[in-house]
Amino acid sequence: GICHNLMTERGHAAPGKLVVGTDSHSITYGALNCFATGIESSELVAILVTSRLWFRVPETIRIELKGTLQPGVTAKDITLHVIERLGEDGIAYRAIEYSGDGLATLEMDARFTLCNHAAELGAKAAVMPYDDKTEAWLAGRVRGPHDSVSADPEALYEKTMEFNLSSLDPRISLPSKIDQVAPVSEAGGKNVDMAFIGSCTNGRLDDLETAAKILAGKRVADGTRLLVNPGTRAVYLQALEAGIIRTLTEAGALVLPAGCGSCVGMNRQYVPANGEVILSSANRNLQGRLGNPNADIYVASPATVAASALTGRITDPREFLTGASELKQ
Amino acid sequence: MKIQGRAHLLGDFLNTDMHFTNKYKYEGKGVEFLAQHVLEDIDPHYPNRIQSGDILVGGTNFGATSTREQAVKVMRRLAIGAVLAKSFSRLFYRNALNNGLPAFQCDTSDIKNGDSVEIDTASGEIVVAEGRQIIQVRPLPPLLQALVSSGELLSFVKAHPDWR
């Protein structure tokens, strides 16, 4: 499976720790109340030899989340709103500290998505508080002692920003810059040739669950290929147990082995053809990322991807997810 | 340690892919070759305009979108003395310090192309144009000054496995 998803699944990241990985999306683990960041291979060698590394302590920007997500709006839509507002690399070399009542309403899968996509803001780390959801996630996964961390009351922030989750709508990132974001409702109508659900941003159980809810008993549109790469083997098996893989398969989705897959063009047998439009649940839409520079990549939530795979065109998922019960975790 | 050189201005939004010729990135070309083609996508004559000892002066988020050490290695091959910028991308900053390229964050708005720049790495004082402007930056801790002087992270770690 995907390294970042395994790091958090298998208890390698724990509260209060300093965790690094040789990829920018190592920032994901901050959802578990630790400081997690990406480093270079040579730096990893230095750590293997000495167990230490130097760091410049970044300034911190506090992002406060209020309210609750409305039906059809997901953590990925939060990240796209943030990226739209701040721009790609808009928080370059800062640490983000997430907080707020809105954050408390988000399950761990959603929190991993939020921290993961902070990489595209250029952030050094994205730290979340420790609460009962963090504790529940860690139970049975982490060995050894760990101490949660929280901000000092007198901590200084470079800036504090607020996002009201209740007012957010599904968003989509247009080719080929991640901060070219528009409401899905305004970008709708474009034919989708290839739809992808997966990646370290959105390859978790809740993402597959959401897609299954939208596709249950229905068929992916003719002319649209829906590829699904569960993030890890454990998620794949859980999805199998829960009937999600069956639902997706019966709907015509191509369910592939756990891994990065089409996020970064690793499904070599499914490279898009010239002129095709791809809608991906991953984190980046740079030209050529899926293996063909002559194909445009849009990025959105798994809900938007599933809804669009169903109709064959970019579609607002709220057409299919109208009640809060449908997004029950 | 004192670093002296001529200010060579690059603009905002320049990232190291553009700096150091993205088109050769995947061909496995060596640092020598890349140094000869530096910034040629912007100006074919650019490789001839950077002089040994120059101090590169950039804007915000200098080094953005490049995760590769090649850019820094090419700058070192060109004997660039240091890089000054209003802000750095986190990866570029680390690559710089890990590969012997001094990098300092400061307000570079008033530095003009061709100005003499003298950096005292111990005190953090930067003298521009023989005193027309004095910029004070926070000096690197002695450990990191030693790291930068060593020229390479892993050489430093071999020589100082306890980071002292």
Side-chain angles (χ1 to χ4, degrees):
Chain A
I2 304 170
C3 60
H4 303 306
N5 300 42
L6 291 169
M7 284 290 285
T8 54
E9 212 177 71
R10 296 191 177 178
H12 296 305
K17 306 284 185 194
L18 175 56
V19 189
V20 296
T22 53
D23 184 83
S24 58
H25 289 103
S26 301
I27 195 174
T28 306
Y29 329 143
L32 291 170
N33 190 235
C34 61
F35 186 99
T37 194
I39 58 170
E40 287 281 339
S41 318
S42 51
E43 299 181 300
L44 186 68
V45 173
I47 292 175
L48 291 174
V49 173
T50 68
S51 302
R52 293 188 191 163
L53 193 63
W54 67 269
F55 289 91
R56 172 187 172 272
V57 178
E59 299 85 354
T60 303
I61 290 185
R62 191 151 155 257
I63 294 184
E64 196 164 333
L65 304 178
K66 292 179 127 55
T68 33
L69 291 172
Q70 298 305 295
V73 187
T74 67
K76 184 61 161 291
D77 300 299
I78 304 175
T79 70
L80 290 172
H81 273 271
V82 175
I83 288 169
E84 181 180 13
R85 186 156 141 192
L86 297 172
E88 188 176 8
D89 289 334
I91 311 192
Y93 220 154
R94 314 294 206 288
I96 300 172
E97 189 187 301
Y98 287 106
S99 64
D101 299 332
L103 176 59
T105 68
L106 299 176
E107 301 301 321
M108 284 313 302
D109 280 359
R111 296 182 190 189
F112 291 132
T113 297
L114 264 186
C115 290
N116 174 284
H117 220 184
E120 275 56 54
L121 292 164
K124 179 75 179 180
V127 186
M128 286 189 167
Y130 181 93
D131 63 9
D132 53 338
K133 292 190 164 113
T134 326
E135 189 176 8
W137 175 272
L138 291 167
R141 294 185 207 265
V142 179
R143 288 170 295 174
H146 55 271
D147 268 319
S148 65
V149 290
S150 55
D152 300 323
E154 67 275 14
L156 294 171
Y157 300 95
E158 182 178 289
K159 196 161 52 174
T160 299
M161 312 181 66
E162 208 177 273
F163 284 83
N164 182 3
L165 304 185
S166 308
S167 67
L168 302 185
D169 58 352
R171 294 265 143 161
I172 186 165
S173 177
L174 310 174
S176 300
K177 274 198 84 213
I178 198 65
D179 57 8
Q180 281 191 171
V181 175
V184 177
S185 53
E186 284 173 26
K190 184 97 186 171
N191 279 352
V192 174
D193 300 295
M194 180 172 149
F196 170 65
I197 294 174
S199 83
C200 55
T201 313
N202 282 118
R204 296 185 179 78
L205 192 61
D206 76 334
D207 301 311
L208 303 184
E209 213 164 42
T210 302
K213 282 192 176 93
I214 292 172
L215 292 164
K218 299 179 178 149
R219 293 278 303 176
V220 170
D222 279 344
T224 302
R225 310 183 292 287
L226 171 59
L227 274 57
V228 179
N229 282 97
T232 66
R233 184 176 298 159
V235 164
Y236 191 113
L237 291 171
Q238 286 172 304
L240 202 58
E241 270 290 300
I244 290 169
I245 305 290
R246 170 184 275 276
T247 300
L248 294 174
T249 304
E250 286 177 343
L254 300 162
V255 181
L256 299 164
C260 300
S262 290
C263 168
V264 68
M266 283 188 188
N267 286 329
R268 301 302 277 170
Q269 72 278 41
Y270 293 113
V271 173
N274 288 338
E276 286 199 321
V277 169
I278 302 118
L279 179 56
S280 164
S281 76
N283 41 66
R284 291 181 181 152
N285 59 351
L286 290 173
Q287 203 76 27
R289 189 175 171 85
L290 270 73
N292 184 349
N294 299 319
D296 286 341
I297 307 167
Y298 294 75
V299 162
S301 74
T304 302
V305 176
S308 306
L310 199 49
T311 64
R313 305 175 305 275
I314 294 177
T315 301
D316 191 319
R318 293 175 297 183
E319 287 181 32
F320 301 99
L321 295 167
T322 51
S325 61
E326 283 157 327
L327 274 181
K328 170 167 64 81
Q329 294 297 325
Chain B
M1 176 170 93
K2 283 231 196 320
I3 302 169
Q4 265 173 310
R6 201 181 60 126
H8 190 109
L9 262 55
L10 302 171
D12 269 344
F13 311 122
L14 219 58
N15 65 62
T16 44
D17 282 348
M18 287 174 69
H19 293 172
F20 296 98
T21 314
N22 190 30
K23 66 184 182 227
Y24 301 119
K25 193 157 81 173
Y26 294 110
E27 289 177 22
K29 299 286 187 190
V31 168
E32 285 287 336
F33 179 90
L34 293 174
Q36 286 162 33
H37 293 268
V38 70
L39 280 160
E40 69 180 19
D41 282 348
I42 294 170
D43 174 350
H45 302 294
Y46 213 100
N48 299 323
R49 292 203 276 122
I50 288 188
Q51 289 174 29
S52 166
D54 274 359
I55 310 268
L56 291 186
V57 178
T60 54
N61 207 17
F62 187 86
T65 78
S66 178
T67 59
R68 291 166 180 269
E69 292 177 318
Q70 276 168 326
V72 170
K73 291 192 159 126
V74 170
M75 289 182 189
R76 291 265 290 149
R77 177 67 188 80
L78 294 168
I80 280 165
V83 184
L84 305 179
K86 292 182 189 170
S87 63
F88 290 97
S89 85
R90 60 181 185 85
L91 290 161
F92 182 87
Y93 186 77
R94 292 195 71 82
N95 284 339
L97 267 53
N98 286 335
N99 288 282
L101 178 67
F104 301 96
Q105 182 173 340
C106 58
D107 186 349
T108 54
S109 312
D110 297 323
I111 303 177
K112 299 183 196 353
N113 205 41
D115 277 347
S116 70
V117 175
E118 198 177 287
I119 304 166
D120 182 332
T121 60
S123 69
E125 188 182 73
I126 302 177
V127 179
V128 181
E130 274 118 32
R132 188 192 74 223
Q133 184 187 8
I134 313 248
I135 301 171
Q136 183 62 49
V137 297
R138 202 164 167 184
L140 286 176
L143 177 67
L144 291 187
Q145 289 185 44
L147 169 65
V148 175
S149 298
S150 78
E152 206 206 4
L153 173 68
L154 292 180
S155 309
F156 180 79
V157 164
K158 265 194 226 175
H160 309 275
D162 55 358
W163 287 85
R164 272 185 229 289

